[in-house]
Amino acid sequence: RQVADVKDWSVVICSVIMSSFFDKIVDQGKEILQDPSKISSYVEDPSKLLNVGLNFIGQDVLDNLIDKVLDACRSSMMDAGIDPLPIDDITIPYSLDKMTGACAPFLKSKNSALGELMLALCACVAKNMNIEGDLFLKNGSLSGLSQIARSVPTKLEVANNVVRLTVGLGVKNLESPFEASASIASPDFKPEVKAIVEKVGISFGVEVPLSGEQTSAGSFEFDPPLDDLPVDVDMKLDELGELEPIVKPLVIDPVKKKIIEILKGQVKDLIDKKIQEYIPGVNALT
């Protein structure tokens, strides 16, 4: 069935170009007659005749086609649980040689006699005690993957009896907030932790042989490369603030691994599947 769809699409493309741009092709034929040396080029690669008309196909036609594919991808991503994407809970053990948290309630009244006395006591105790506990990051949920959209105009070319469609895709402002808490903290402890990915770019390409052979699998190139994907963490740990440089990479690593896993797996497969579904049977160019 897929091979049949490819043949149908090939016929559609040829039909549209030949009917819509016949005059242009005739003009090209006149040019060839005036310069016979060009004949060999078209004999070796007849698909070059198709490119005569492709340059005149409306950009909106190609872009609308990809937009329909992406609309289908968005719905499928949400149905598949990709957006929002659950992030595994993170537990970070910590050890402090200060009692900042224990003294925090007295900072509000540090100018009083009692406040000064308690601050002095805390400072003394802090030199002789070590605080150990766990920072818990739970219910992380990465949102925004389904907002994937075109980042550059769609491009369609014909060469060597193959139709190649390429398009740049992108998704911005991915965020994964966590519910943060600690095993040992003051009643006023209200931490905030959120992982952020500013942008993920994808260059996608697919080739459809005009001979009727099966459409090749899509090619994906991520920009930046996924191993270099920048993940940042916006956090406020209040009394545990000195832990932030330690906590940050411990959040980045699992979030980054999860994003890479889902982009290389489910997202890639889903986009490829939808492209395969929509492109071979498309009649949007007619």
Side-chain angles (χ1 to χ4, degrees):
R1 173 59 186 169
Q2 190 174 26
V3 173
D5 287 341
V6 172
K7 290 181 179 178
D8 291 343
W9 190 41
S10 301
V11 171
V12 169
I13 293 177
C14 293
S15 176
V16 169
I17 295 174
M18 295 302 292
S19 61
S20 302
F21 309 108
F22 181 76
D23 291 340
K24 183 64 180 180
I25 294 175
V26 170
D27 290 340
Q28 188 73 14
K30 292 178 180 179
E31 182 180 340
I32 294 174
L33 290 176
Q34 293 172 359
D35 185 0
S37 64
K38 294 183 178 180
I39 294 178
S40 61
S41 174
Y42 286 92
V43 171
E44 293 173 0
D45 185 6
S47 61
K48 289 183 178 180
L49 287 171
L50 296 179
N51 271 323
V52 173
L54 283 175
N55 291 330
F56 294 87
I57 294 179
Q59 186 64 53
D60 58 334
V61 173
L62 299 178
D63 290 341
N64 287 338
L65 170 61
I66 295 302
D67 290 342
K68 290 180 181 178
V69 173
L70 295 178
D71 284 341
C73 287
R74 294 185 189 103
S75 298
S76 295
M77 284 184 187
M78 289 185 284
D79 292 341
I82 296 175
D83 191 5
L85 177 68
I87 303 296
D88 294 340
D89 293 347
I90 303 171
T91 300
I92 303 173
Y94 65 85
S95 177
L96 295 175
D97 58 3
K98 295 182 179 181
M99 290 192 66
T100 307
C103 296
F106 300 101
L107 294 177
K108 300 175 182 178
S109 57
K110 63 181 180 180
N111 294 325
S112 66
L114 177 60
E116 292 177 356
L117 176 61
M118 294 305 299
L119 283 175
L121 177 60
C122 283
C124 179
V125 173
K127 295 178 181 178
N128 299 281
M129 292 189 64
N130 186 62
I131 302 293
E132 294 186 352
D134 293 301
L135 178 67
F136 304 109
L137 304 179
K138 298 182 177 181
N139 300 322
S141 181
L142 183 77
S143 60
L145 280 172
S146 66
Q147 299 308 306
I148 189 168
R150 282 185 300 104
S151 57
V152 297
T154 311
K155 186 176 181 180
L156 188 64
E157 297 176 305
V158 178
N160 301 320
N161 291 318
V162 172
V163 177
R164 179 167 179 79
L165 183 147
T166 56
V167 61
L169 310 175
V171 60
K172 299 180 180 180
N173 302 322
L174 302 178
E175 295 185 352
S176 177
F178 290 88
E179 295 177 6
S181 62
S183 57
I184 299 177
S186 71
D188 294 330
F189 184 52
K190 296 180 180 179
E192 298 177 5
V193 178
K194 178 172 63 178
I196 301 171
V197 177
E198 184 177 343
K199 181 178 69 172
V200 178
I202 303 173
S203 177
F204 176 83
V206 64
E207 293 185 349
V208 182
L210 292 175
S211 61
E213 298 175 7
Q214 185 173 352
T215 302
S216 63
S219 61
F220 287 79
E221 291 184 9
F222 292 94
D223 180 25
L226 292 184
D227 289 341
D228 301 326
L229 183 67
V231 179
D232 198 5
V233 180
D234 184 13
M235 72 174 73
K236 184 178 70 173
L237 295 184
D238 295 336
E239 62 211 48
L240 298 181
E242 62 189 276
L243 294 176
E244 291 183 6
I246 299 173
V247 171
K248 189 172 183 177
L250 298 178
V251 175
I252 289 176
D253 187 58
V255 171
K256 182 175 179 177
K257 286 182 178 179
K258 187 66 174 181
I259 294 175
I260 291 176
E261 173 190 337
I262 206 70
L263 287 174
K264 284 186 174 180
Q266 284 180 273
V267 171
K268 177 180 179 295
D269 292 343
L270 193 152
I271 294 175
D272 198 17
K273 178 181 178 181
K274 294 302 178 183
I275 287 284
Q276 298 285 341
E277 288 179 1
Y278 277 73
I279 298 302
V282 68
N283 58 6
L285 297 178
T286 59

